[in-house]
């Protein structure tokens, strides 16, 4: 198989794997943009700093070189996150520390779509194998919780003013209602419940990555039924579900046929069969209703 060919169980296209598909700016998911960027050129333009001695992270072995495949591109972020934009409209890095890097997905499938990348030798294993290590699993689960809170705050920032559940909180923030002395700010909507979180049972990229994204599934990059099915069937495995039992059917996603099921709206349950375009049009309407909940 060519390094740019898609595996039959891949949830993304070969162009997305190679990074040659047009990529929107991080803040414009769900909005049609006129200016497109070549994501592969963006990655190859990054030159990680040279380090003395042998590399300590499996995901950065050898650095960017001809020995890497396109499926290794996430390793650029864990190798040198400081070399990617961390502010402005081209922002790619959300935050990083010694153990993790959080980034915006180059090809978001929702209005907010982030990835958590562990900076560990275990990140080169399939998640099912990597999460057999209790200490590593616990660290990923804890850091995923941190990223979930950040993404939830971003959803509140973007959509809070539209939400009925946020009405009282927004009234206080806008100065229309004054709180009694010592009274806490109303919490409003639980935006963490509006997130999808997990790994794909058959990852398309070689470095372990956890998806944390908004529930809406509205984005110009959501172009194929597999894009949708991969986040709305058991193909997406929540990190909270690990460790998995040996007989868990999610260990065999191809056998289970998750990416070939009827397309159903995540919000209302309407069955669109194999009519992806109709589903996508429908999701735009559901998005507006979802924001108002």
């Amino acid at each position: 198989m060519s390094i740019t060919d898609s595996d039959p169980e891949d949830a993304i296209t070969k162009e997305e794997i190679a990074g040659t598909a047009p990529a929107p700016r991080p803040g414009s998911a769900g909005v049609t943009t006129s200016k497109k960027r070549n994501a592969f050129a963006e990655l190859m333009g990054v030159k990680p700093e040279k380090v003395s001695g042998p590399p300590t992270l499996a995901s950065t072995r050898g650095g960017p070189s001809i020995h890497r495949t396109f499926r290794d591109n996430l390793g650029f972020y864990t190798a040198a996150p400081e070399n990617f934009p961390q502010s402005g409209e081209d922002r790619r890095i959300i935050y990083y520390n010694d153990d993790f890097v959080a980034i915006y997905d180059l090809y978001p499938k929702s209005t907010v779509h982030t990835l958590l990348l562990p900076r560990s030798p275990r990140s080169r294993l399939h998640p099912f194998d990597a999460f057999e290590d209790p200490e590593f699993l616990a660290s990923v689960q804890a850091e995923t919780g941190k990223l979930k809170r950040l993404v939830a705050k971003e959803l509140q920032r973007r959509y809070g003013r539209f939400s009925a559940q946020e009405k009282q909180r927004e009234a206080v923030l806008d100065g229309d209602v004054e709180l009694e002395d010592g009274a806490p700010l109303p919490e409003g909507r639980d935006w963490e419940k509006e997130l999808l979180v997990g790994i794909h049972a058959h990852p398309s990229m070689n470095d372990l990555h956890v998806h944390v994204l908004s529930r809406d599934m509205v984005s110009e990059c959501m172009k194929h039924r597999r894009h949708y099915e991969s986040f709305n069937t058991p193909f997406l495995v929540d990190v909270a579900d690990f460790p998995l039992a040996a007989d868990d059917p999610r260990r065999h996603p191809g056998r289970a046929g998750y990416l070939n099921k009827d397309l159903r709206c995540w919000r209302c349950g309407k069955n669109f069969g194999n009519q992806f375009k109709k589903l996508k049009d429908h999701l735009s309407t559901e998005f507006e209703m979802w924001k108002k909940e």
Side-chain angles (χ1 to χ4, degrees):
M1 178 187 296
S2 165
I3 58 175
T4 58
D5 284 344
S6 290
D7 184 289
E9 294 184 36
D10 279 335
I12 59 177
T13 66
K14 62 183 181 181
E15 291 79 15
E16 288 173 308
I17 292 170
T20 57
R25 297 187 183 281
S28 65
V31 179
T32 301
T33 56
S34 59
K35 184 177 181 181
K36 303 288 187 177
R37 296 170 302 134
N38 185 298
F40 177 63
E42 178 179 293
L43 280 173
M44 294 307 293
V46 175
K47 298 179 180 179
E49 297 177 358
K50 294 182 180 179
V51 295
S52 59
T56 58
L57 303 177
S59 60
T60 64
R61 277 198 296 267
S65 74
I66 60 173
H67 300 295
R68 298 173 68 94
T69 75
F70 293 120
R71 294 179 187 270
D72 295 312
N73 277 349
L74 291 178
F76 283 91
Y77 296 106
T78 53
E82 66 276 8
N83 289 345
F84 287 88
Q86 298 176 46
S87 62
E89 62 180 7
D90 288 322
R91 181 182 182 188
R92 188 58 54 196
I93 303 295
I94 301 171
Y95 71 86
Y96 65 92
N97 54 43
D98 289 344
D99 300 314
F100 294 93
V101 179
I103 68 173
Y104 289 102
D105 196 305
L106 270 175
Y107 302 111
K109 301 308 184 289
S110 285
T111 56
V112 182
H113 188 168
T114 68
L115 301 178
L116 181 68
L117 311 176
R119 305 178 80 180
S120 163
R122 297 195 71 81
S123 69
R124 295 293 286 178
L125 300 175
H126 189 288
F128 293 165
D129 299 319
F131 290 156
E132 291 296 324
D133 182 322
E135 184 176 351
F136 177 70
L137 172 59
S139 70
V140 172
Q141 289 173 332
E143 198 72 22
T144 298
K146 175 181 176 180
L147 183 55
K148 284 174 62 177
R149 290 188 289 274
L150 289 176
V151 175
K153 284 292 185 183
E154 176 62 11
L155 291 184
Q156 187 178 53
R157 184 188 70 81
R158 291 192 188 193
Y159 307 131
R161 65 186 184 277
F162 304 112
S163 175
Q165 298 174 58
E166 292 278 345
K167 187 175 181 180
Q168 187 178 3
R169 184 177 186 275
E170 289 293 312
V172 173
L173 293 175
D174 291 341
D176 298 329
V177 175
E178 291 188 7
L179 294 175
E180 295 182 5
D181 291 344
L185 181 69
E187 292 187 3
R189 187 170 175 176
D190 186 352
W191 291 99
E192 284 195 36
K193 291 184 177 179
E194 307 294 351
L195 303 178
L196 294 173
V197 180
I199 57 93
H200 281 153
H202 179 86
S204 298
M205 306 299 284
N206 288 338
D207 289 84
L208 192 154
H209 52 287
V210 180
H211 297 268
V212 179
L213 65 158
S214 54
R215 196 71 182 86
D216 52 88
M217 306 306 297
V218 172
S219 171
E220 63 181 282
C221 295
M222 218 268 287
K223 297 180 178 180
H224 306 282
R225 64 175 296 146
R226 287 191 170 200
H227 287 160
Y228 183 81
E229 298 276 50
S230 68
F231 290 103
N232 291 277
T233 68
F235 191 87
L236 183 72
V237 187
D238 196 323
V239 293
D241 293 348
F242 285 92
L244 298 183
D247 61 349
D248 193 305
R250 291 173 292 182
R251 289 183 177 273
H252 306 284
R255 186 186 306 169
Y258 296 132
L259 300 184
N260 296 301
K261 295 183 178 296
D262 282 357
L263 295 164
R264 293 181 180 273
C265 172
W266 66 268
R267 188 169 181 269
C268 72
K270 183 176 180 179
N271 190 333
F272 287 84
N274 64 355
Q275 297 178 306
F276 176 76
K277 186 180 184 303
K278 288 187 176 181
L279 169 65
K280 187 167 182 178
D281 292 341
H282 174 79
L283 290 175
S284 295
T285 301
E286 291 288 354
F287 176 51
E288 296 303 320
M289 299 300 293
W290 171 76
K291 288 192 299 185
K292 295 175 182 178
E293 288 182 1

